[in-house]
Amino acid sequence: MEGRSGSGDRPLLVIDDDRKLCALIRDYLSPLGWTVEMRHTGPEGLEEAKSGDYDAVILDVMMPGMDGFEVLRELRKHSNVPVLMLTAMGEEADRIVGLEMGADDYLPKTFSSRELLARLRAVTRRAVLEDPAAEEQVDLVAGDLRLNESTHVATLGDDVLELTALEFAILATLMKAKGRVKTRESLLEDVSERRFDVFDRSIDVHISQLRRKLGDDARHPRYIVTVRGVGYKLGDVERS
């Protein structure tokens, strides 16, 4: 298949109509243990993302015919694979739209190779590993909310929650804090391994998405409580 390279062992899909950029990403990441598959149109990329088993997807926003937002919208109906979006646009509104639609992070096309690798590692950091020791992990429980870190499954009562990798990580971090307040800065650093800088609203967007999926009323939240001017904490539900 186009874009496969020799010895990589972490499958990555790049969807971008800029073939030169795709090749540069492949050539940089392949020696670092990534097997890079490339698709150059939205529809082809979407079909490959749905049919393939990838650790992450790097997705361009600006593509002819079917842009990255459309691809992401359709992909999230089928998969929670970590998605890192590339954009030549710098407007905050464009970044927020992607985050609200389920992107895990954003990277401008002026990125350095080191930054790309750091962001890619961050969005995949909490991917489930086929490690027998993982079975020994204990579920995180708060009332009728339960997270299993070994299987990466979150349930609310009898319902399975469809969470992105970053949403799962945020919720797990809050549950492990057991009611202690986590600042926005520390939450972002904990789950994405980057400084709290230009993405100053991203954690709030992810919290909003989590609340929607939890059925949590922002005015009277049960699970995720806002501590004004500070950050967030797990609500006063039964914890174990």
Side-chain angles (χ1 to χ4, degrees):
M1 290 186 292
E2 179 184 292
R4 288 287 183 194
S5 57
S7 59
D9 57 8
R10 300 199 67 184
L12 172 70
L13 176 62
V14 181
I15 307 173
D16 195 321
D17 62 333
D18 186 336
R19 293 171 181 263
K20 182 177 180 180
L21 179 62
C22 288
L24 288 172
I25 292 174
R26 179 198 60 200
D27 293 346
Y28 174 68
L29 293 177
S30 293
L32 299 175
W34 295 88
T35 299
V36 182
E37 184 81 12
M38 301 181 294
R39 291 292 182 272
H40 305 299
T41 70
E44 290 177 343
L46 175 60
E47 287 306 308
E48 178 62 29
K50 288 162 57 179
S51 63
D53 183 15
Y54 293 96
D55 280 8
V57 174
I58 295 178
L59 175 62
D60 185 27
V61 169
M62 298 298 290
M63 292 184 290
M66 186 180 194
D67 65 25
F69 293 137
E70 294 177 272
V71 173
L72 180 61
R73 182 185 297 111
E74 292 302 313
L75 180 59
R76 281 295 177 245
K77 296 177 182 178
H78 305 275
S79 171
N80 286 322
V81 62
V83 174
L84 176 63
M85 297 199 78
L86 297 179
T87 179
M89 300 179 293
E91 293 298 321
E92 183 184 46
D94 297 311
R95 301 196 300 267
I96 297 304
V97 168
L99 292 171
E100 288 178 337
M101 293 174 64
D104 292 275
D105 207 346
Y106 248 101
L107 194 60
K109 280 199 168 180
T110 54
F111 64 84
S112 67
S113 55
R114 285 187 176 183
E115 185 178 15
L116 169 64
L117 182 61
R119 295 289 179 92
L120 188 56
R121 284 174 172 168
V123 299
T124 60
R125 181 168 63 100
R126 296 193 182 250
V128 179
L129 301 178
E130 294 181 2
D131 182 356
E135 297 301 323
E136 300 175 3
Q137 295 187 42
V138 178
D139 286 0
L140 299 172
V141 181
D144 53 357
L145 176 62
R146 181 180 295 268
L147 269 63
N148 186 302
E149 290 192 286
S150 63
T151 61
H152 227 251
V153 172
T155 56
L156 184 61
D158 296 327
D159 299 324
V160 176
L161 299 175
E162 296 295 330
L163 305 181
T164 67
L166 198 57
E167 290 167 353
F168 187 98
I170 292 170
L171 196 51
T173 300
L174 290 173
M175 292 176 75
K176 288 176 180 177
K178 298 181 178 179
R180 299 188 304 275
V181 178
K182 298 287 293 184
T183 65
R184 288 172 169 82
E185 292 89 341
S186 67
L187 258 180
L188 196 57
E189 289 172 358
D190 286 347
V191 302
S192 65
E193 297 180 341
R194 60 176 170 79
R195 292 193 303 273
F196 186 76
D197 44 27
V198 296
F199 285 78
D200 58 345
R201 288 181 54 199
S202 64
I203 201 70
D204 299 316
V205 174
H206 290 302
I207 291 291
S208 176
Q209 294 295 90
L210 270 172
R211 281 177 169 155
R212 179 181 61 80
K213 294 178 180 182
L214 289 167
D216 227 2
D217 183 346
R219 293 171 297 180
H220 305 288
R222 183 183 180 203
Y223 295 102
I224 302 177
V225 176
T226 301
V227 180
R228 292 192 180 279
V230 183
Y232 299 99
K233 68 176 183 176
L234 187 68
D236 189 19
V237 293
E238 180 184 352
R239 292 185 288 270
S240 61

